[in-house]
Amino acid sequence: MNVATPSLADLAGQAKALVRPKPPAPYGMLAELTHRCPLQCPYCSNPVELDRRNVELDTATWLRVFEEAAKLGVLQVHLSGGEPTARRDLEAMIRHCVEVGLYTNLITAGVGVTAERLQSLADAGVDHVQLSFQGADAAMTAHVSNMKDAFERKLAVAREVRRLGLPLTVNAVVHRANIHQIPDFLELAQRLGARRIEIAHAQYYGWALRNRAALMPTREQVFKALEIVDEARVRLDGILTIDAVVPDYYAKYPKPCMNGWGRQSLNVTPSGKVLPCHAAETIPGLDFWNVAEHSLSEIWLDSPAFNAFRGTDWMPELCQSCERKEKDWGGCRCQAMAIAGDASATDPACHKSPLHAHLLALAEEDAAAGVDQYDYRRFTVPETSQ
Amino acid sequence: MGQHFAPTGTPKLARGVRLRHDEARGQWVLLAPERVLNPDPVAVEILRRVDGERSIAGIVDELAQAFTVERERVEADVDDFLKGLVDKGMVEVSG
């Protein structure tokens, strides 16, 4: 047995852990089953350094993770990617989730998914399907996803999902090139029989940060979009639920990112790292534990990365003294990192941040830059045969 | 009477909506696409009987008996409650 004398730092850490209040259980888990995807959207939420197939967790490990998640208090699992249907063991995972009581939400790009596959996913017990649309027509979808016939394939998948009686959500990420299509996205969602649509303004981390000059809408576009969504919410009440991910570069207050770091949800990467949010790896120096070495419960309660920005203790004075501190939760740590170069700074999207004017200037400059070439999301070096 | 549904109608949870007990938090939850609802104790008693088998009248009878409440009162409450969930697409009533 290996007996080590604890250092003073260890003891101090343990003492701190003893007085730390136990965080509430998470409600949701985003399971990024793979980074493989047939589409190349320039705002992909996956990291710029994508996990390759040979480092993906195996089936048995994922099943254990789902079981641990259910025990920890997770109620809903979002099966995502990349493209989750690239995993041939997806049905086994869904069946297991159903067994342990987890609600399953399949987040798919809907290309390369046959009617037979959808039937088999429905038989496995999937609860809900969220289908992404990069454009409200074929040309825009092809331009943004960099795949020629993606739109037709998505329409076919949507029809099949509804034929199977599964609830459908349309997800539309909006940015400069397609933000004018919001009314068309709303029409499309209704035509496809979706009860819910997400109008998600691109969030600038990873790939989207890299492509910001080609994606950033103008202030006029953003405010017009907000108006259209507000009006549609009233008009479509009881017909279509509209959830929006707000654009924060032009905002006064920051978004309450993840409703607080390590507060409600967690994210497991294809290789098993557990993150407080999908962009957390853009913050250098955080120690992310892996499900291969720790239980999900240990990671949620004790991992340094989850405790780094949990609660309000970490906040700078500007946030500490703010009456919105338990409303905005300090905004977004990844954005503070990207813009202020300091993950524990006030989110520059907040009007109180000394960098707020700088953020606005960046947005206006990018929106006016006229760049229309995307650096499409892809594995940086061609994947070797496996 | 102002009822939205016939007493012979049979309600069931829509596909993609599930009621379960949440052991970790010691409460009942209604799970729907990107939604977790916390039904109050009265709602839970109704929802536990929304199984695609029992008719609305049957549910009302059971509740009136179990909680010794006036039948008309229960009838109105159940009807209102179901209407709210039907509008949200979370419950379907057949028959």
Side-chain angles (χ1 to χ4, degrees):
Chain A
M1 205 172 109
N2 187 8
V3 183
T5 313
S7 71
L8 272 179
D10 285 345
L11 287 173
Q14 283 167 21
K16 204 175 168 193
L18 283 176
V19 298
R20 196 189 295 132
K22 194 178 162 188
Y27 281 92
M29 180 171 88
L30 181 70
E32 289 179 347
L33 302 179
T34 179
H35 280 161
R36 288 173 282 147
C37 184
L39 303 188
Q40 301 186 342
C41 310
Y43 47 73
C44 181
S45 61
N46 291 157
V48 173
E49 291 286 330
L50 296 165
D51 282 347
R52 293 183 179 284
R53 186 182 195 150
N54 57 0
V55 300
E56 288 179 9
L57 297 179
D58 61 14
T59 314
T61 308
W62 273 117
L63 299 192
R64 171 173 63 79
V65 169
F66 293 133
E67 211 163 310
E68 290 176 353
K71 281 204 189 107
L72 180 58
V74 167
L75 298 173
Q76 296 195 333
V77 165
H78 310 284
L79 301 164
S80 180
E83 172 51 46
T85 57
R87 293 277 310 217
R88 303 316 297 180
D89 51 1
L90 184 56
E91 283 85 341
M93 296 191 206
I94 292 170
R95 275 193 296 270
H96 193 69
C97 286
V98 172
E99 244 175 70
V100 299
L102 292 169
Y103 186 100
T104 53
N105 173 25
L106 176 67
I107 301 180
T108 180
V111 299
V113 188
T114 62
E116 292 73 33
R117 189 76 198 280
L118 283 169
Q119 178 75 60
S120 124
L121 294 167
D123 291 346
V126 71
D127 287 298
H128 167 233
V129 177
Q130 178 179 314
L131 178 62
S132 66
F133 276 90
Q134 289 68 32
D137 58 39
M140 184 64 75
T141 304
H143 170 60
V144 178
S145 69
N146 206 21
M147 185 186 209
K148 210 172 54 201
D149 56 350
F151 188 69
E152 293 306 321
R153 292 166 179 241
K154 287 165 185 287
L155 292 183
V157 164
R159 278 194 290 268
E160 203 51 30
V161 166
R162 291 304 298 137
R163 199 189 61 78
L164 291 165
L166 290 168
L168 173 71
T169 286
V170 164
N171 168 278
V173 174
V174 295
H175 44 85
R176 192 164 75 234
N178 70 358
I179 194 168
H180 65 282
Q181 290 192 331
I182 290 177
D184 308 321
F185 281 121
L186 295 168
E187 276 293 319
L188 177 67
Q190 290 174 78
R191 204 166 70 229
L192 296 175
R195 288 286 312 224
R196 191 174 162 270
I197 186 170
E198 288 181 2
I199 301 288
H201 287 258
Q203 303 290 308
Y204 298 98
Y205 314 100
W207 289 98
L209 187 59
R210 184 181 274 207
N211 282 295
R212 198 179 59 192
L215 294 170
M216 183 63 72
T218 65
R219 176 195 274 273
E220 291 68 33
Q221 282 180 315
V222 163
F223 282 87
K224 179 91 195 294
L226 294 172
E227 231 170 75
I228 290 171
V229 168
D230 279 350
E231 178 275 323
R233 276 218 174 101
V234 177
R235 182 168 48 90
L236 300 174
D237 182 38
I239 298 167
L240 185 67
T241 301
I242 306 175
D243 285 338
V245 176
V246 296
D248 56 3
Y249 271 51
Y250 295 110
K252 182 175 179 191
Y253 298 110
K255 59 181 177 259
C257 201
M258 308 306 289
N259 281 319
W261 184 275
R263 223 177 128 250
Q264 294 186 339
S265 53
L266 39 79
N267 177 19
V268 184
T269 72
S271 59
K273 269 190 267 184
V274 187
L275 317 176
C277 77
H278 54 67
E281 285 177 286
T282 60
I283 301 175
L286 286 182
D287 183 10
F288 300 108
W289 290 2
N290 193 299
V291 294
E293 283 115 41
H294 299 274
S295 75
L296 211 56
S297 165
E298 280 173 344
I299 298 173
W300 176 255
L301 297 174
D302 298 327
S303 72
F306 273 87
N307 285 314
F309 303 110
R310 200 169 237 154
T312 55
D313 286 353
W314 60 271
M315 288 181 180
E317 177 49 31
L318 194 57
C319 299
Q320 285 288 359
S321 58
C322 179
E323 73 286 357
R324 292 173 64 95
K325 73 174 171 180
E326 291 196 343
K327 190 170 185 174
D328 297 335
W329 298 102
C332 173
R333 298 304 87 226
C334 302
Q335 187 142 279
M337 186 69 231
I339 305 299
D342 172 7
S344 53
T346 295
D347 184 340
C350 179
H351 71 292
K352 292 182 180 176
S353 162
L355 288 167
H356 187 65
H358 170 65
L359 187 77
L360 191 61
L362 287 175
E364 282 172 341
E365 188 184 318
D366 280 347
V371 176
D372 57 3
Q373 285 292 310
Y374 296 137
D375 182 2
Y376 286 109
R377 175 243 205 234
R378 51 177 62 131
F379 287 88
T380 41
V381 185
E383 201 167 3
T384 49
S385 59
Q386 293 153 27
Chain B
M1 215 165 61
Q3 299 279 313
H4 298 101
F5 308 106
T8 50
T10 306
K12 66 166 185 162
L13 296 181
R15 185 93 188 247
V17 180
R18 285 209 259 153
L19 178 74
R20 61 162 275 203
H21 192 258
D22 171 5
E23 309 297 332
R25 298 171 190 82
Q27 62 185 7
W28 284 86
V29 287
L30 191 63
L31 303 174
E34 302 287 337
R35 294 283 188 277
V36 177
L37 281 77
N38 301 116
D40 64 28
V42 176
V44 170
E45 290 304 329
I46 302 173
L47 284 167
R48 289 176 72 176
R49 290 166 172 84
V50 171
D51 56 3
E53 304 278 330
R54 293 169 164 93
S55 68
I56 292 177
I59 293 172
V60 171
D61 285 342
E62 278 188 34
L63 290 172
Q65 204 164 38
F67 298 96
T68 51
V69 197
E70 236 178 291
R71 200 182 182 286
E72 285 71 43
R73 173 81 186 281
V74 179
E75 201 167 31
D77 284 355
V78 169
D79 188 72
D80 271 356
F81 177 73
L82 291 177
K83 175 74 169 72
L85 289 183
V86 166
D87 285 350
K88 288 192 175 77
M90 296 173 78
V91 164
E92 291 158 3
V93 181
S94 62

